[in-house]
């Protein structure tokens, strides 16, 4: 039985960047990921915008209804 001490990182230690190297690595990775982004077409953007406006109008109507209901309930209780 041999007693060998293995590194916690494994047998092949890679040099990790230090200081500004970490920042440049991060910036390069961000740029690489941004190149993968697929931007929506004009038609998709218009349809997403319309869907958002309709959804917000429905939520606003729901909250307004709850507000009116609570107002009537509170005025009925406290007269």
């Amino acid at each position: 039985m041999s007693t060998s001490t293995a590194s916690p990182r494994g047998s092949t230690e890679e040099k990790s960047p230090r200081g500004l190297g970490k920042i440049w690595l991060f910036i390069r990775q961000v740029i690489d990921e941004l190149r993968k982004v697929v931007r929506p077409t004009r038609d998709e953007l218009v349809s997403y915008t319309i869907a958002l406006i309709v959804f917000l109008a429905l939520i606003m109507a729901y909250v307004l209804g709850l507000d009116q209901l609570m107002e009537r309930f509170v005025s009925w209780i406290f007269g």
Side-chain angles (χ1 to χ4, degrees):
M1 183 164 157
S2 68
T3 58
S4 65
T5 57
S7 167
R9 290 187 172 174
S11 61
T12 59
E13 279 199 33
E14 298 177 6
K15 290 182 69 177
S16 63
R18 307 243 184 225
L20 288 178
K22 286 184 180 181
I23 295 172
W24 289 117
L25 176 64
F26 175 74
I27 291 172
R28 280 198 313 262
Q29 289 174 346
V30 168
I31 291 171
D32 288 342
E33 290 299 319
L34 284 174
R35 287 187 179 133
K36 297 177 187 177
V37 172
V38 177
R39 291 171 180 82
T41 64
R42 182 177 177 87
D43 292 336
E44 290 173 334
L45 194 59
V46 168
S47 65
Y48 296 157
T49 304
I50 291 170
L52 176 68
I53 291 171
V54 169
F55 176 75
L56 288 177
L58 291 174
I59 295 299
M60 287 171 52
Y62 176 72
V63 170
L64 178 66
L66 285 178
D67 184 51
Q68 295 294 321
L69 185 66
M70 291 300 287
E71 179 185 354
R72 290 184 186 190
F73 181 70
V74 168
S75 67
W76 177 73
I77 289 179
F78 295 111

